[in-house]
């Protein structure tokens, strides 16, 4: 690896708390393998969906709950935080095929009144 690239790599891993290159490289490889695995819609995966929504949008809370009940086999857990007078934060943990988890996450994030959110996928191995 050329010197400039290696120096940038050392700087980056130093900021992240790595004390040696080997562990940093191992983690990068693992990350790429996870990315590759979850790109296959049939692979067994876990998803963590985090989103913020408007508490005052009529029927939204009910729609969100009904949708999760429809997918009770995929939704492992759900946590709700009342952020303030107007906003709620919800974190849903999903388990199943990567493609199905992605469809569930996309659907929830598309609801009117869901302001923003993100789905993170990972694998168990
Ligand atoms: Ni709330």
């Amino acid at each position: 690896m050329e010197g400039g690239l290696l120096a940038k790599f050392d700087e980056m891993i130093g900021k992240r708390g790595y004390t040696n290159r080997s562990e940093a490289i191992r983690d990068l490889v693992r990350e790429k393998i996870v990315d590759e695995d979850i790109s296959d819609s049939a692979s067994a995966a876990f998803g963590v969906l985090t989103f913020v929504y408007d508490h005052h949008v009529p029927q939204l809370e009910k729609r969100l709950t009904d949708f999760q009940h429809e997918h009770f086999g995929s939704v492992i857990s759900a946590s709700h935080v009342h952020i303030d007078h107007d906003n709620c934060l919800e974190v849903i943990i999903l388990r199943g095929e990567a493609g199905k988890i992605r469809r569930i996450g996309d659907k929830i994030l598309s609801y009117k009144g869901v302001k923003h959110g993100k789905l993170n996928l990972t694998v168990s191995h």
Side-chain angles (χ1 to χ4, degrees):
M1 204 186 288
E2 64 260 34
L5 188 58
L6 195 57
K8 280 186 182 170
F9 183 68
D10 284 344
E11 189 189 334
M12 179 192 82
I13 67 175
K15 278 183 194 162
R16 294 186 186 190
Y18 288 102
T19 52
N20 67 74
R21 285 179 191 146
S22 301
E23 188 53 26
I25 290 167
R26 273 195 291 273
D27 281 357
L28 282 177
V29 171
R30 288 186 193 112
E31 189 183 322
K32 279 293 154 200
I33 291 170
V34 170
D35 286 350
E36 184 65 23
D37 284 350
I38 61 175
S39 71
D40 176 359
S41 59
S43 65
F46 289 90
V48 180
L49 178 69
T50 307
F51 59 99
V52 170
Y53 68 91
D54 185 335
H55 170 68
H56 299 292
V57 171
Q59 293 298 304
L60 178 57
E61 195 147 358
K62 180 172 174 8
R63 285 181 71 202
L64 288 166
T65 306
D66 287 350
F67 184 70
Q68 290 179 61
H69 275 273
E70 281 171 33
H71 295 282
F72 66 88
S74 306
V75 177
I76 300 172
S77 111
S79 293
H80 186 105
V81 177
H82 310 301
I83 298 175
D84 55 30
H85 188 261
D86 305 313
N87 298 290
C88 300
L89 165 71
E90 206 148 307
V91 180
I92 299 173
I93 302 179
L94 301 134
R95 177 183 207 158
E97 288 184 358
K100 188 174 184 191
I101 292 176
R102 230 176 250 117
R103 283 196 300 279
I104 292 171
D106 285 348
K107 181 70 188 171
I108 289 175
L109 294 176
S110 77
Y111 282 159
K112 188 177 183 325
V114 173
K115 295 177 174 179
H116 55 85
K118 207 164 194 94
L119 174 66
N120 272 299
L121 278 166
T122 193
V123 290
S124 59
H125 51 270

